[in-house]
Amino acid sequence: MVQTHPQPRVTGANGAQTDGVPGERPIMMSVRHATKHYKTGTGTVHALEDLSLEIPKGEFICILGPSGCGKSTLLWGMSGLHELTDGQVIVNGAPVTGPRPEIGMIFQDANLLPWRDLWQNIQFPFEIKKIDFKPYEPRVRDLLDDVGLAGFEKKMPRELSGGMQQRASIVRCLSYDPDVILMDEPFGALDAFTRDEMNLLIQKIWMETGKTIVFVTHNVSEAIFLADRVVVLTPRPGRLAHIFPVDLPRPRTIDMTFSPEFIQMILKVKATIERGVHGNVAATADVLDLG
Amino acid sequence: MASELRETLPTFNQQGNEETADVDITNWSALTSTAFAKSWGEAAAIVGLAVVVIAGLELLLRAANVPAYTMPLPSEVGSALLGNFSLFAPHLAATLRVLAIGYAIGAIIGIVLAGVITQFPFAEKIITPYVLLLVTTPMIALVPLLVQKMGFGPAPRIIAVSLAVGPMVMINSATGFRRTDLAKIALARSYGASTMQIFRKVRFPLALPMIIVGLMVGAIFGMLTAVGAEIVGSGEGLGNRLMFYSSRIQMANFWAVIVILATMGILIYVFFYWVGKRWASWQA
C-alpha cells in the first residue's frame, strides 16, 4: 500500500521528475502547485490554490470534497481540457498542455452522443483520433460483454438506463486503452443501488487492467470504498486538507461498507471535511489527531 | 460562488436549459410532430373523409345552383386537371425550376452563414437585425422593382425566392448552431479533436434538427414567394396561370392550378417530415 507521503515539494523551475522512492511504483502523474482563479462578474474566485499531488502508476485515487471545493477544477486541469492559472501537471514525464492520448476522461453524465447508437458512440474516439477501429473490435466486444451491454449495440442512448449509459461511456473510455482514467463524479446522478453496482464494476475493471484512476466524488463512502488514497480538499480556495490511505483489502464488497473499520474511516474523513482544514500542506499531510 | 464555478464546467443541466430556450418563434416542432396514419383503418378513415367532403361539396354546389365562375364543381376541376394537364405542365416546370434554383442558393448561403456567424457572437449581434428584416419583409415586394431592371425572365423570381429562403434557413440553423453542448465538445476535445472535427462530428449533428426545420419552413416560404412573384411579374409559371385563368373566368382551370400548388406544398411537407424522421429522430 502506498504511504501517506506525497508532495515532495519540487523547488525551482527545473524540478526533476521524481520516480518515487525505490521499491515504490513509478510516478504516473504529478500535479505541481496547481492554482486556478476564475474571473467572474463579482470578482475573482480562487477555485484551486497551490495544490501538489503525486500519483503512482496503477493507483486508484479519490478526490473528495464538498461542492465548489475545486475538485472538478483540479480534474479538468489534469485532463488538459482547462488551463491552470499557475502550476503544472506532468503525465508520463511530459507536461500536460492540452488533451493527451494517454488520458481518458469519464464525465459527470455519460455524455453519449444522442444521435449515434451505442456502437457508433464507442467508435467516436477512433474517428476523432483517426485510428482504424477493426483491430480493437474484439476488445470492445469483450468489454461490452464484461459490463453487461452485449446485445445493446444498436440501441440509441435514450433507450438505455442511466447506469447502462454510464457503463457504455466506461467502455468508450477503455476501448482505446488510456493509461490514466479521470472520472468526474461519474455516478453522481445514479440511484444508490446502481451506484453500488457501478462501484463494484469500476473496482473490477481497475483490478483487471491496472489503470491509474483519479476519481472525483463528494460521496465519502464511495471514495473510501474505491480508493487506495482519499485526497480531501478544503472548500474555497481548494487546498489539500489531508490524504487518507485506505488499507482495506481487495476486492472490497458492499458488506464491507458496514464494518466498524469502514465506518470509523468515514467519521475521520467527515471530521476533516467539517473542520475545513486550511494551511500548510506539509503539516496536514501527516496524520492529524482527529480525536 | 459554487454556482459560478459550475458555469465554467460543462454539466448536463446546461443542455437542459438550452433545450427550453429553443422554444421560440423559430421552433416549428408542432409542424414536424404531427403523426400520419398508423394503420390501414386510419388511412381508410382519412381517405373516406376526403371522399365525403368532396362529394358533399359537389352535391351542395349542384343543389344550390352555384354558378361555375363563383365556384366550379369538384368534378369539373378534376376533369380540367386531368384533361388540361399538358397545358399546365410547362408552367409547373417553370415554377419548379425557379423554386429549385432559388432554394438551393438561399439554403446553402443560409446554412453556411449560420455556421460561420454563430462562431463570432459579436458579428451575429450586428447581422441578426438585418436577417430579421429580411425574414419579416415579404420578398415579393421586391419583384416589381427587379422586373423593372431585369425584365420578365426568371432572374428576378430566383432572387426573390433566395431572399425568402436564405434568412429563414439561416435564422433556424443559427438557433441550432448556437445550441452548443459544452460537455460534448469537451468530450471530443479530450480525444484531441480539431475545430473542424468538432464542427463536423458534434456541432453540426447537434444543429441538424433545427437545420431541417429551417429547410422545411424555407421551402414552403420559397414556394409562396415563387408563386407570388409569378403573379406580380412573369410570363410563365403557375402563378401566372392563376392570373391568366381568373382573368378569363376559366374557373375549372384556375382551381386545377390551385390543386397542383396544394399538392406541391404537401409533398414538400411530407418530404421534410421523412427527412426529419430519418436524420433528427434522436431528438424526439
Side-chain angles (χ1 to χ4, degrees), chain A residues 38 40 42 45 47 68 72 76 81-82 99 107-109 111-116 124-125 127-130 158 172 176 236, chain B residues 1-2 4-6 8-12 181 183-184 186-193 197 201-202 205-206 281-284:
Chain A
Y38 291 110
T40 68
T42 50
V45 178
S72 285
W76 283 71
L81 284 167
H82 285 179
F107 295 84
Q108 228 153 15
D109 75 281
N111 212 357
L112 299 176
L113 305 178
W115 54 88
R116 288 166 170 249
F124 183 61
E127 283 174 31
I128 297 287
K129 291 165 182 279
K130 301 200 171 96
R158 70 188 142 87
R172 176 175 63 187
Y176 61 93
R236 300 166 205 156
Chain B
M1 195 185 257
E4 284 164 358
L5 276 181
R6 272 295 110 192
T8 62
L9 298 170
T11 65
F12 194 58
D181 185 332
K184 308 256 180 302
L187 174 77
R189 280 189 58 218
S190 79
Y191 305 133
Q197 279 180 316
K201 305 258 180 200
V202 180
L206 206 57
S281 62
W282 59 268
Q283 222 199 355

Short mmCIF file of all heavy atoms in Angstrom, two decimals, chain A residues 38 40 42 45 47 68 72 76 81-82 99 107-109 111-116 124-125 127-130 158 172 176 236, chain B residues 1-2 4-6 8-12 181 183-184 186-193 197 201-202 205-206 281-284:
data_model
loop_
_atom_site.label_atom_id
_atom_site.label_comp_id
_atom_site.label_asym_id
_atom_site.label_seq_id
_atom_site.Cartn_x
_atom_site.Cartn_y
_atom_site.Cartn_z
N TYR A 38 -10.73 32.01 -11.26
CA TYR A 38 -11.70 32.41 -12.27
C TYR A 38 -12.04 33.86 -12.09
O TYR A 38 -12.25 34.31 -10.97
CB TYR A 38 -13.02 31.64 -12.10
CG TYR A 38 -12.97 30.18 -12.41
CD1 TYR A 38 -13.08 29.23 -11.41
CD2 TYR A 38 -12.84 29.75 -13.73
CE1 TYR A 38 -13.05 27.88 -11.70
CE2 TYR A 38 -12.81 28.41 -14.03
CZ TYR A 38 -12.91 27.48 -13.00
OH TYR A 38 -12.90 26.16 -13.30
N THR A 40 -14.99 36.35 -12.42
CA THR A 40 -16.44 36.38 -12.60
C THR A 40 -16.91 37.81 -12.47
O THR A 40 -16.11 38.71 -12.19
CB THR A 40 -17.16 35.53 -11.54
OG1 THR A 40 -16.99 36.18 -10.27
CG2 THR A 40 -16.61 34.13 -11.47
N THR A 42 -18.46 39.21 -10.17
CA THR A 42 -18.36 39.78 -8.83
C THR A 42 -16.94 39.73 -8.28
O THR A 42 -16.72 40.06 -7.13
CB THR A 42 -19.29 39.02 -7.86
OG1 THR A 42 -19.05 37.61 -8.00
CG2 THR A 42 -20.75 39.32 -8.15
N VAL A 45 -12.60 34.27 -8.29
CA VAL A 45 -12.85 33.10 -7.47
C VAL A 45 -11.56 32.28 -7.42
O VAL A 45 -11.01 31.92 -8.45
CB VAL A 45 -13.99 32.25 -8.06
CG1 VAL A 45 -14.20 31.00 -7.22
CG2 VAL A 45 -15.25 33.06 -8.16
N ALA A 47 -10.45 29.03 -7.08
CA ALA A 47 -11.01 27.69 -7.09
C ALA A 47 -10.01 26.68 -6.55
O ALA A 47 -10.36 25.73 -5.86
CB ALA A 47 -11.42 27.31 -8.50
N GLY A 68 -18.10 22.79 -4.92
CA GLY A 68 -17.44 24.07 -5.06
C GLY A 68 -16.07 24.12 -4.43
O GLY A 68 -15.51 25.20 -4.23
N SER A 72 -13.46 19.29 -9.19
CA SER A 72 -13.63 19.14 -10.64
C SER A 72 -12.64 20.02 -11.40
O SER A 72 -12.11 19.62 -12.43
CB SER A 72 -15.06 19.48 -11.05
OG SER A 72 -15.94 18.44 -10.68
N TRP A 76 -10.21 18.70 -14.27
CA TRP A 76 -10.19 19.26 -15.62
C TRP A 76 -8.82 19.84 -15.95
O TRP A 76 -8.39 19.81 -17.10
CB TRP A 76 -11.30 20.30 -15.80
CG TRP A 76 -12.64 19.64 -15.98
CD1 TRP A 76 -13.36 18.99 -15.02
CD2 TRP A 76 -13.38 19.52 -17.19
NE1 TRP A 76 -14.51 18.49 -15.57
CE2 TRP A 76 -14.57 18.79 -16.89
CE3 TRP A 76 -13.17 19.97 -18.50
CZ2 TRP A 76 -15.52 18.49 -17.87
CZ3 TRP A 76 -14.14 19.67 -19.46
CH2 TRP A 76 -15.30 18.94 -19.14
N LEU A 81 -7.90 19.80 -20.43
CA LEU A 81 -9.03 20.45 -21.11
C LEU A 81 -9.17 21.90 -20.66
O LEU A 81 -9.61 22.75 -21.42
CB LEU A 81 -10.32 19.69 -20.84
CG LEU A 81 -10.49 18.39 -21.61
CD1 LEU A 81 -11.64 17.56 -21.06
CD2 LEU A 81 -10.72 18.65 -23.10
N HIS A 82 -8.83 22.16 -19.40
CA HIS A 82 -8.83 23.53 -18.91
C HIS A 82 -7.42 23.90 -18.47
O HIS A 82 -6.72 23.08 -17.87
CB HIS A 82 -9.78 23.67 -17.70
CG HIS A 82 -11.22 23.68 -18.08
ND1 HIS A 82 -12.22 23.78 -17.16
CD2 HIS A 82 -11.83 23.62 -19.30
CE1 HIS A 82 -13.39 23.77 -17.79
NE2 HIS A 82 -13.18 23.67 -19.07
N PRO A 99 -5.22 18.25 -24.23
CA PRO A 99 -5.65 16.86 -24.12
C PRO A 99 -4.57 15.90 -24.61
O PRO A 99 -3.90 16.17 -25.60
CB PRO A 99 -6.88 16.81 -25.04
CG PRO A 99 -7.37 18.20 -25.09
CD PRO A 99 -6.15 19.07 -25.01
N PHE A 107 -17.17 11.46 -17.80
CA PHE A 107 -17.82 12.70 -17.40
C PHE A 107 -18.95 12.48 -16.41
O PHE A 107 -19.37 11.35 -16.17
CB PHE A 107 -18.33 13.44 -18.64
CG PHE A 107 -17.23 13.90 -19.55
CD1 PHE A 107 -16.68 13.04 -20.49
CD2 PHE A 107 -16.73 15.18 -19.46
CE1 PHE A 107 -15.66 13.46 -21.33
CE2 PHE A 107 -15.72 15.61 -20.29
CZ PHE A 107 -15.17 14.75 -21.23
N GLN A 108 -19.43 13.60 -15.90
CA GLN A 108 -20.47 13.61 -14.88
C GLN A 108 -21.71 12.83 -15.30
O GLN A 108 -22.19 12.00 -14.56
CB GLN A 108 -20.86 15.05 -14.58
CG GLN A 108 -20.91 15.35 -13.11
CD GLN A 108 -20.65 16.82 -12.84
OE1 GLN A 108 -20.70 17.66 -13.74
NE2 GLN A 108 -20.35 17.16 -11.61
N ASP A 109 -22.24 13.15 -16.48
CA ASP A 109 -23.24 12.25 -17.01
C ASP A 109 -22.54 11.44 -18.10
O ASP A 109 -21.40 11.73 -18.43
CB ASP A 109 -24.45 13.02 -17.55
CG ASP A 109 -24.15 13.66 -18.86
OD1 ASP A 109 -23.49 14.73 -18.84
OD2 ASP A 109 -24.52 13.12 -19.90
N ASN A 111 -22.60 11.36 -21.12
CA ASN A 111 -22.10 12.17 -22.23
C ASN A 111 -22.00 11.37 -23.53
O ASN A 111 -21.03 11.51 -24.28
CB ASN A 111 -20.72 12.74 -21.86
CG ASN A 111 -20.49 14.10 -22.51
OD1 ASN A 111 -21.32 14.59 -23.26
ND2 ASN A 111 -19.34 14.68 -22.22
N LEU A 112 -22.98 10.54 -23.79
CA LEU A 112 -23.05 9.85 -25.08
C LEU A 112 -23.63 10.82 -26.10
O LEU A 112 -24.41 11.70 -25.75
CB LEU A 112 -23.94 8.60 -24.98
CG LEU A 112 -23.50 7.53 -23.99
CD1 LEU A 112 -24.53 6.41 -23.94
CD2 LEU A 112 -22.13 6.97 -24.33
N LEU A 113 -23.26 10.64 -27.37
CA LEU A 113 -23.83 11.48 -28.41
C LEU A 113 -25.21 10.92 -28.78
O LEU A 113 -25.30 9.78 -29.23
CB LEU A 113 -22.91 11.51 -29.63
CG LEU A 113 -21.48 11.95 -29.34
CD1 LEU A 113 -20.62 11.89 -30.59
CD2 LEU A 113 -21.44 13.35 -28.74
N PRO A 114 -26.28 11.70 -28.56
CA PRO A 114 -27.63 11.14 -28.67
C PRO A 114 -28.01 10.73 -30.09
O PRO A 114 -28.97 10.00 -30.28
CB PRO A 114 -28.53 12.26 -28.16
CG PRO A 114 -27.73 13.49 -28.26
CD PRO A 114 -26.29 13.10 -28.13
N TRP A 115 -27.27 11.22 -31.09
CA TRP A 115 -27.65 10.89 -32.47
C TRP A 115 -26.92 9.64 -32.98
O TRP A 115 -27.04 9.27 -34.12
CB TRP A 115 -27.38 12.08 -33.41
CG TRP A 115 -25.99 12.59 -33.35
CD1 TRP A 115 -24.90 12.16 -34.07
CD2 TRP A 115 -25.50 13.65 -32.52
NE1 TRP A 115 -23.79 12.87 -33.73
CE2 TRP A 115 -24.13 13.79 -32.79
CE3 TRP A 115 -26.11 14.48 -31.57
CZ2 TRP A 115 -23.33 14.73 -32.13
CZ3 TRP A 115 -25.31 15.41 -30.92
CH2 TRP A 115 -23.94 15.54 -31.21
N ARG A 116 -26.12 9.04 -32.11
CA ARG A 116 -25.42 7.81 -32.51
C ARG A 116 -25.89 6.67 -31.63
O ARG A 116 -26.16 6.88 -30.44
CB ARG A 116 -23.91 7.99 -32.28
CG ARG A 116 -23.26 8.92 -33.27
CD ARG A 116 -21.87 9.28 -32.77
NE ARG A 116 -21.12 9.99 -33.78
CZ ARG A 116 -20.06 9.47 -34.40
NH1 ARG A 116 -19.61 8.28 -34.07
NH2 ARG A 116 -19.43 10.15 -35.33
N PHE A 124 -16.61 6.61 -31.69
CA PHE A 124 -16.37 8.05 -31.78
C PHE A 124 -14.90 8.44 -31.52
O PHE A 124 -14.30 9.15 -32.33
CB PHE A 124 -17.33 8.79 -30.84
CG PHE A 124 -17.22 10.28 -30.89
CD1 PHE A 124 -17.46 10.97 -32.06
CD2 PHE A 124 -16.87 11.01 -29.76
CE1 PHE A 124 -17.37 12.35 -32.11
CE2 PHE A 124 -16.78 12.39 -29.79
CZ PHE A 124 -17.02 13.06 -30.97
N PRO A 125 -14.28 7.97 -30.40
CA PRO A 125 -12.88 8.34 -30.19
C PRO A 125 -11.96 7.89 -31.33
O PRO A 125 -11.00 8.61 -31.67
CB PRO A 125 -12.50 7.65 -28.89
CG PRO A 125 -13.67 6.89 -28.42
CD PRO A 125 -14.84 7.21 -29.28
N GLU A 127 -12.77 7.63 -34.48
CA GLU A 127 -12.97 8.55 -35.61
C GLU A 127 -12.17 9.83 -35.41
O GLU A 127 -11.51 10.32 -36.31
CB GLU A 127 -14.45 8.91 -35.75
CG GLU A 127 -15.29 7.83 -36.38
CD GLU A 127 -16.76 8.20 -36.35
OE1 GLU A 127 -17.10 9.40 -36.41
OE2 GLU A 127 -17.59 7.28 -36.24
N ILE A 128 -12.24 10.36 -34.18
CA ILE A 128 -11.54 11.62 -33.92
C ILE A 128 -10.02 11.40 -33.99
O ILE A 128 -9.30 12.20 -34.58
CB ILE A 128 -11.92 12.17 -32.52
CG1 ILE A 128 -13.40 12.50 -32.46
CG2 ILE A 128 -11.07 13.39 -32.17
CD1 ILE A 128 -13.84 13.71 -33.21
N LYS A 129 -9.57 10.31 -33.41
CA LYS A 129 -8.13 10.04 -33.38
C LYS A 129 -7.62 9.48 -34.71
O LYS A 129 -6.43 9.26 -34.88
CB LYS A 129 -7.80 9.05 -32.26
CG LYS A 129 -7.97 9.61 -30.85
CD LYS A 129 -7.97 8.46 -29.83
CE LYS A 129 -8.19 8.95 -28.42
NZ LYS A 129 -6.95 9.47 -27.81
N LYS A 130 -8.57 9.18 -35.63
CA LYS A 130 -8.23 8.60 -36.93
C LYS A 130 -7.44 7.30 -36.77
O LYS A 130 -6.40 7.09 -37.39
CB LYS A 130 -7.48 9.61 -37.80
CG LYS A 130 -8.27 10.88 -38.06
CD LYS A 130 -7.74 11.63 -39.28
CE LYS A 130 -8.66 12.76 -39.68
NZ LYS A 130 -8.28 14.06 -39.15
N ARG A 158 -30.98 7.16 -25.63
CA ARG A 158 -32.21 7.42 -24.87
C ARG A 158 -32.97 6.14 -24.55
O ARG A 158 -33.88 6.14 -23.73
CB ARG A 158 -33.11 8.41 -25.63
CG ARG A 158 -33.73 7.87 -26.89
CD ARG A 158 -34.45 8.96 -27.68
NE ARG A 158 -34.25 8.77 -29.09
CZ ARG A 158 -35.03 8.00 -29.85
NH1 ARG A 158 -36.04 7.37 -29.34
NH2 ARG A 158 -34.77 7.88 -31.15
N ARG A 172 -16.40 3.07 -23.74
CA ARG A 172 -15.86 4.01 -24.72
C ARG A 172 -14.48 4.50 -24.30
O ARG A 172 -13.57 4.62 -25.11
CB ARG A 172 -16.81 5.20 -24.88
CG ARG A 172 -16.31 6.29 -25.81
CD ARG A 172 -17.32 7.38 -26.03
NE ARG A 172 -17.64 8.08 -24.78
CZ ARG A 172 -18.61 8.99 -24.66
NH1 ARG A 172 -19.34 9.29 -25.70
NH2 ARG A 172 -18.83 9.57 -23.51
N TYR A 176 -9.87 2.47 -26.16
CA TYR A 176 -8.60 2.82 -26.80
C TYR A 176 -7.44 2.75 -25.82
O TYR A 176 -6.33 3.21 -26.11
CB TYR A 176 -8.70 4.18 -27.50
CG TYR A 176 -9.02 5.33 -26.57
CD1 TYR A 176 -8.01 6.10 -25.99
CD2 TYR A 176 -10.34 5.68 -26.29
CE1 TYR A 176 -8.30 7.14 -25.14
CE2 TYR A 176 -10.64 6.72 -25.45
CZ TYR A 176 -9.61 7.44 -24.88
OH TYR A 176 -9.92 8.48 -24.03
N ARG A 236 -12.96 26.55 -1.08
CA ARG A 236 -12.73 27.99 -1.28
C ARG A 236 -11.61 28.59 -0.45
O ARG A 236 -11.90 29.12 0.60
CB ARG A 236 -14.04 28.75 -1.01
CG ARG A 236 -15.12 28.30 -1.94
CD ARG A 236 -16.46 28.77 -1.46
NE ARG A 236 -17.49 27.88 -1.98
CZ ARG A 236 -18.67 27.70 -1.45
NH1 ARG A 236 -19.00 28.33 -0.35
NH2 ARG A 236 -19.53 26.90 -1.98
N MET B 1 -21.27 31.36 -5.09
CA MET B 1 -19.91 31.14 -5.57
C MET B 1 -19.79 29.78 -6.23
O MET B 1 -19.23 29.61 -7.28
CB MET B 1 -18.94 31.25 -4.41
CG MET B 1 -17.50 31.39 -4.86
SD MET B 1 -16.40 31.37 -3.44
CE MET B 1 -16.02 33.08 -3.28
N ALA B 2 -20.45 28.82 -5.59
CA ALA B 2 -20.40 27.47 -6.13
C ALA B 2 -21.03 27.42 -7.52
O ALA B 2 -20.52 26.79 -8.43
CB ALA B 2 -21.12 26.50 -5.20
N GLU B 4 -21.25 29.82 -9.61
CA GLU B 4 -20.38 30.49 -10.59
C GLU B 4 -19.31 29.53 -11.10
O GLU B 4 -18.97 29.52 -12.26
CB GLU B 4 -19.72 31.70 -9.95
CG GLU B 4 -20.65 32.88 -9.81
CD GLU B 4 -20.12 33.91 -8.84
OE1 GLU B 4 -19.05 33.70 -8.25
OE2 GLU B 4 -20.80 34.92 -8.68
N LEU B 5 -18.81 28.74 -10.16
CA LEU B 5 -17.80 27.75 -10.54
C LEU B 5 -18.38 26.76 -11.53
O LEU B 5 -17.76 26.40 -12.51
CB LEU B 5 -17.33 27.00 -9.31
CG LEU B 5 -16.22 27.67 -8.52
CD1 LEU B 5 -15.85 26.80 -7.34
CD2 LEU B 5 -15.01 27.90 -9.40
N ARG B 6 -19.58 26.33 -11.22
CA ARG B 6 -20.26 25.34 -12.06
C ARG B 6 -20.28 25.78 -13.52
O ARG B 6 -20.09 25.01 -14.42
CB ARG B 6 -21.71 25.18 -11.61
CG ARG B 6 -21.96 24.17 -10.54
CD ARG B 6 -21.67 22.78 -10.90
NE ARG B 6 -20.51 22.38 -10.17
CZ ARG B 6 -19.81 21.29 -10.38
NH1 ARG B 6 -20.15 20.48 -11.34
NH2 ARG B 6 -18.77 21.00 -9.68
N THR B 8 -18.39 27.23 -15.38
CA THR B 8 -17.22 27.04 -16.22
C THR B 8 -16.99 25.57 -16.53
O THR B 8 -16.18 25.24 -17.35
CB THR B 8 -15.97 27.59 -15.52
OG1 THR B 8 -15.79 26.83 -14.32
CG2 THR B 8 -16.13 29.05 -15.19
N LEU B 9 -17.72 24.71 -15.85
CA LEU B 9 -17.58 23.29 -16.12
C LEU B 9 -18.85 22.79 -16.78
O LEU B 9 -19.94 23.08 -16.32
CB LEU B 9 -17.35 22.52 -14.82
CG LEU B 9 -16.09 22.89 -14.06
CD1 LEU B 9 -16.11 22.25 -12.70
CD2 LEU B 9 -14.86 22.47 -14.83
N PRO B 10 -18.72 22.01 -17.85
CA PRO B 10 -19.90 21.52 -18.53
C PRO B 10 -20.70 20.59 -17.63
O PRO B 10 -20.12 19.75 -16.94
CB PRO B 10 -19.33 20.73 -19.70
CG PRO B 10 -17.93 21.15 -19.82
CD PRO B 10 -17.50 21.60 -18.47
N THR B 11 -21.98 20.77 -17.60
CA THR B 11 -22.83 19.83 -16.88
C THR B 11 -24.01 19.51 -17.77
O THR B 11 -24.28 20.20 -18.74
CB THR B 11 -23.36 20.42 -15.57
OG1 THR B 11 -24.21 21.51 -15.90
CG2 THR B 11 -22.25 20.88 -14.67
N PHE B 12 -24.69 18.47 -17.39
CA PHE B 12 -25.83 18.02 -18.19
C PHE B 12 -26.96 19.03 -18.11
O PHE B 12 -27.68 19.26 -19.07
CB PHE B 12 -26.29 16.66 -17.68
CG PHE B 12 -27.21 15.96 -18.62
CD1 PHE B 12 -26.81 15.69 -19.92
CD2 PHE B 12 -28.47 15.59 -18.24
CE1 PHE B 12 -27.64 15.06 -20.81
CE2 PHE B 12 -29.32 14.94 -19.11
CZ PHE B 12 -28.90 14.68 -20.40
N ASP B 181 -23.33 22.21 -26.86
CA ASP B 181 -23.31 21.39 -25.66
C ASP B 181 -21.85 21.27 -25.23
O ASP B 181 -21.07 20.53 -25.82
CB ASP B 181 -23.92 20.03 -25.99
CG ASP B 181 -24.05 19.17 -24.77
OD1 ASP B 181 -23.25 19.35 -23.83
OD2 ASP B 181 -24.95 18.32 -24.74
N ALA B 183 -20.33 19.92 -22.78
CA ALA B 183 -19.83 18.61 -22.36
C ALA B 183 -19.45 17.75 -23.57
O ALA B 183 -18.44 17.07 -23.56
CB ALA B 183 -20.87 17.90 -21.50
N LYS B 184 -20.27 17.83 -24.63
CA LYS B 184 -19.98 17.02 -25.82
C LYS B 184 -18.75 17.56 -26.54
O LYS B 184 -17.95 16.79 -27.08
CB LYS B 184 -21.18 17.03 -26.76
CG LYS B 184 -22.49 16.66 -26.09
CD LYS B 184 -22.94 15.27 -26.40
CE LYS B 184 -24.25 14.92 -25.73
NZ LYS B 184 -24.26 15.05 -24.26
N ALA B 186 -16.30 19.11 -25.03
CA ALA B 186 -15.17 18.71 -24.19
C ALA B 186 -14.80 17.25 -24.43
O ALA B 186 -13.63 16.88 -24.47
CB ALA B 186 -15.51 18.93 -22.71
N LEU B 187 -15.83 16.43 -24.62
CA LEU B 187 -15.58 15.02 -24.92
C LEU B 187 -14.73 14.87 -26.18
O LEU B 187 -13.71 14.18 -26.19
CB LEU B 187 -16.92 14.30 -25.11
CG LEU B 187 -16.84 12.84 -25.56
CD1 LEU B 187 -16.46 11.95 -24.39
CD2 LEU B 187 -18.15 12.38 -26.18
N ALA B 188 -15.16 15.56 -27.24
CA ALA B 188 -14.41 15.49 -28.49
C ALA B 188 -13.00 16.03 -28.30
O ALA B 188 -12.02 15.46 -28.80
CB ALA B 188 -15.15 16.25 -29.59
N ARG B 189 -12.90 17.12 -27.55
CA ARG B 189 -11.56 17.71 -27.33
C ARG B 189 -10.66 16.77 -26.55
O ARG B 189 -9.45 16.74 -26.77
CB ARG B 189 -11.70 19.05 -26.58
CG ARG B 189 -12.07 20.21 -27.49
CD ARG B 189 -11.97 21.52 -26.74
NE ARG B 189 -10.63 21.74 -26.23
CZ ARG B 189 -10.35 22.28 -25.05
NH1 ARG B 189 -11.32 22.67 -24.26
NH2 ARG B 189 -9.11 22.44 -24.66
N SER B 190 -11.26 16.00 -25.62
CA SER B 190 -10.44 15.09 -24.83
C SER B 190 -9.81 14.02 -25.72
O SER B 190 -8.82 13.39 -25.33
CB SER B 190 -11.25 14.46 -23.70
OG SER B 190 -12.04 13.40 -24.18
N TYR B 191 -10.36 13.79 -26.90
CA TYR B 191 -9.74 12.87 -27.85
C TYR B 191 -8.81 13.61 -28.82
O TYR B 191 -8.36 13.04 -29.80
CB TYR B 191 -10.80 12.12 -28.65
CG TYR B 191 -11.80 11.38 -27.80
CD1 TYR B 191 -13.16 11.47 -28.05
CD2 TYR B 191 -11.38 10.59 -26.73
CE1 TYR B 191 -14.08 10.79 -27.26
CE2 TYR B 191 -12.29 9.92 -25.94
CZ TYR B 191 -13.64 10.03 -26.20
OH TYR B 191 -14.54 9.37 -25.42
N GLY B 192 -8.62 14.89 -28.56
CA GLY B 192 -7.72 15.68 -29.41
C GLY B 192 -8.37 16.19 -30.68
O GLY B 192 -7.69 16.39 -31.69
N ALA B 193 -9.70 16.40 -30.67
CA ALA B 193 -10.40 16.82 -31.89
C ALA B 193 -9.99 18.23 -32.31
O ALA B 193 -9.78 19.11 -31.48
CB ALA B 193 -11.92 16.77 -31.66
N GLN B 197 -13.13 19.05 -36.80
CA GLN B 197 -13.75 17.79 -36.35
C GLN B 197 -14.89 18.06 -35.38
O GLN B 197 -15.93 17.42 -35.45
CB GLN B 197 -12.70 16.90 -35.67
CG GLN B 197 -11.85 16.12 -36.65
CD GLN B 197 -10.83 15.25 -35.93
OE1 GLN B 197 -10.20 15.70 -34.98
NE2 GLN B 197 -10.68 14.03 -36.39
N LYS B 201 -18.43 16.67 -36.30
CA LYS B 201 -18.88 15.50 -35.55
C LYS B 201 -19.76 15.85 -34.35
O LYS B 201 -20.43 14.99 -33.81
CB LYS B 201 -17.67 14.71 -35.03
CG LYS B 201 -16.70 14.31 -36.12
CD LYS B 201 -16.87 12.87 -36.49
CE LYS B 201 -15.91 12.48 -37.59
NZ LYS B 201 -16.36 11.27 -38.27
N VAL B 202 -19.73 17.12 -33.91
CA VAL B 202 -20.55 17.48 -32.74
C VAL B 202 -21.52 18.61 -33.06
O VAL B 202 -22.73 18.45 -32.97
CB VAL B 202 -19.67 17.87 -31.53
CG1 VAL B 202 -20.56 18.23 -30.34
CG2 VAL B 202 -18.72 16.74 -31.15
N PRO B 205 -24.12 17.81 -36.19
CA PRO B 205 -25.22 16.88 -35.85
C PRO B 205 -26.17 17.44 -34.80
O PRO B 205 -27.38 17.22 -34.87
CB PRO B 205 -24.50 15.65 -35.30
CG PRO B 205 -23.09 15.77 -35.72
CD PRO B 205 -22.80 17.21 -35.98
N LEU B 206 -25.61 18.20 -33.85
CA LEU B 206 -26.43 18.81 -32.80
C LEU B 206 -27.39 19.83 -33.41
O LEU B 206 -28.51 20.00 -32.95
CB LEU B 206 -25.50 19.47 -31.79
CG LEU B 206 -25.96 19.65 -30.36
CD1 LEU B 206 -26.34 18.31 -29.75
CD2 LEU B 206 -24.85 20.28 -29.53
N SER B 281 -34.52 12.06 -35.63
CA SER B 281 -35.45 11.38 -34.72
C SER B 281 -34.85 11.21 -33.33
O SER B 281 -35.57 11.03 -32.35
CB SER B 281 -35.84 10.01 -35.28
OG SER B 281 -34.69 9.20 -35.39
N TRP B 282 -33.51 11.28 -33.20
CA TRP B 282 -32.87 11.13 -31.89
C TRP B 282 -33.36 12.17 -30.91
O TRP B 282 -33.28 11.99 -29.70
CB TRP B 282 -31.36 11.21 -32.01
CG TRP B 282 -30.84 12.49 -32.60
CD1 TRP B 282 -30.59 12.74 -33.90
CD2 TRP B 282 -30.49 13.68 -31.90
NE1 TRP B 282 -30.13 14.02 -34.07
CE2 TRP B 282 -30.06 14.62 -32.86
CE3 TRP B 282 -30.51 14.06 -30.55
CZ2 TRP B 282 -29.64 15.90 -32.51
CZ3 TRP B 282 -30.11 15.35 -30.22
CH2 TRP B 282 -29.68 16.25 -31.19
N GLN B 283 -33.92 13.27 -31.43
CA GLN B 283 -34.30 14.35 -30.54
C GLN B 283 -35.70 14.20 -29.98
O GLN B 283 -36.08 14.94 -29.09
CB GLN B 283 -34.21 15.68 -31.30
CG GLN B 283 -33.59 16.73 -30.43
CD GLN B 283 -33.89 18.09 -30.92
OE1 GLN B 283 -34.48 18.29 -31.98
NE2 GLN B 283 -33.47 19.07 -30.17
N ALA B 284 -36.42 13.21 -30.47
CA ALA B 284 -37.84 13.06 -30.13
C ALA B 284 -38.16 13.09 -28.66
O ALA B 284 -37.46 12.89 -27.80
CB ALA B 284 -38.38 11.74 -30.67
#
